[in-house]
Amino acid sequence: MIIAIDGPAAAGKGTLARRIAEAYGYHHLDTGLTYRATAKALLDAGSPLDDETVAEGMARKVDLAGLDRTVLSQHDIGEAASKIAVMPAVRRALVEAQRRFSEKTPGAVLDGRDIGTVVCPQAPVKFYVTASAEVRAKRRYDEIIEAGGGADYDAIFEDVKRRDERDMGRTDSPLKPAEDAYLLDTSEMSIEAAFQKAKSIIDAAL
Ligand code: C5P
């Protein structure tokens, strides 16, 4: 079984993917982390972010088993990740690794931007999780405040919009719902309600 989950940043797809993987005993891959790990390796090495060959080399070295969101969550890593994610050679390298992961048994849940459209177009169940930019920025803001940090809502809102434009506007694998994806708008729906909805769709497909 392969479950594909796509959507913009902070729509709740990561939480939904983890809940689904836990409930069904499936493997979970947050594919954003593969772009982030590539970006961090480039930043750490002091390599330029605009050299596709160098970036592809780093992408091929990413170890899917060693991905850790806590060391990859920084803002500058996310920004760099979305810059190198426009490079076709980087995408090819990471998509190959993601496809190998998707073959794991008894099932795999992959979340990202292009899972239902490019990585696993054959996935029997696809979700496109979205929410308004305002709601997503507010969630990011609340997360930072709850973690004891300082945050500026307007700056986060601008950042969410900029990231959306880059992810939806790129030529290679732009963020968009697969034709056969179920749309889950979490603007006014809790993640728990989205999970229950997703569960009924998965159960019907099993
Ligand atoms: O989801 P996350 O914010 O961790 O992803 C970081 C960046 O990686 C995204 O802004 C996007 O540009 C890129 N990405 C992608 N395709 C994926 C997952 C993430 O292009 N499947």
Side-chain angles (χ1 to χ4, degrees):
M1 179 51 139
I2 300 174
I3 297 174
I5 306 182
D6 292 302
K13 63 184 187 307
T15 313
L16 182 67
R18 273 191 299 278
R19 289 284 316 264
I20 293 173
E22 213 176 282
Y24 292 88
Y26 293 166
H27 302 271
H28 170 225
L29 179 63
D30 172 349
T31 61
L33 294 185
T34 65
Y35 290 89
R36 285 175 180 264
T38 306
K40 182 172 189 300
L42 289 167
L43 293 171
D44 288 351
S47 302
L49 290 175
D50 57 359
D51 185 324
E52 190 158 350
T53 310
V54 173
E56 180 191 358
M58 287 296 194
R60 295 210 175 267
K61 283 191 224 152
V62 168
D63 173 15
L64 265 53
L67 299 171
D68 178 359
R69 181 157 282 275
T70 49
V71 298
L72 296 170
S73 65
Q74 287 104 312
H75 182 258
D76 57 329
I77 297 178
E79 273 291 302
S82 96
K83 281 184 192 144
I84 57 144
V86 305
M87 298 173 171
V90 168
R91 302 202 68 85
R92 257 193 318 273
L94 295 178
V95 166
E96 277 173 29
Q98 293 160 12
R99 284 191 182 138
R100 282 195 296 276
F101 185 96
S102 74
E103 288 160 12
K104 281 178 181 272
T105 51
V109 183
L110 283 83
D111 72 273
R113 306 289 193 287
D114 61 341
I115 310 302
T117 50
V118 175
V119 181
C120 302
Q122 81 288 12
V125 180
K126 300 177 184 177
F127 297 107
Y128 189 84
V129 185
T130 187
S132 70
E134 287 79 4
V135 167
R136 290 185 286 124
K138 180 72 169 58
R139 282 191 194 142
R140 270 280 144 84
Y141 174 84
D142 290 344
E143 267 169 26
I144 299 170
I145 299 295
E146 267 166 40
D152 173 354
Y153 173 82
D154 291 336
I156 295 175
F157 180 61
E158 288 309 317
D159 198 56
V160 161
K161 284 198 298 186
R162 206 171 43 241
R163 187 84 72 83
D164 282 359
E165 273 161 28
R166 205 181 283 147
D167 290 346
M168 292 173 186
R170 68 179 172 226
T171 340
D172 189 348
S173 316
L175 168 65
K176 62 169 183 214
E179 272 176 26
D180 51 349
Y182 294 93
L183 295 186
L184 291 173
D185 187 330
T186 64
S187 300
E188 286 170 32
M189 193 200 276
S190 68
I191 297 294
E192 181 55 33
F195 170 67
Q196 292 304 334
K197 178 87 195 133
K199 201 165 168 294
S200 66
I201 291 164
I202 297 165
D203 287 342
L206 285 174

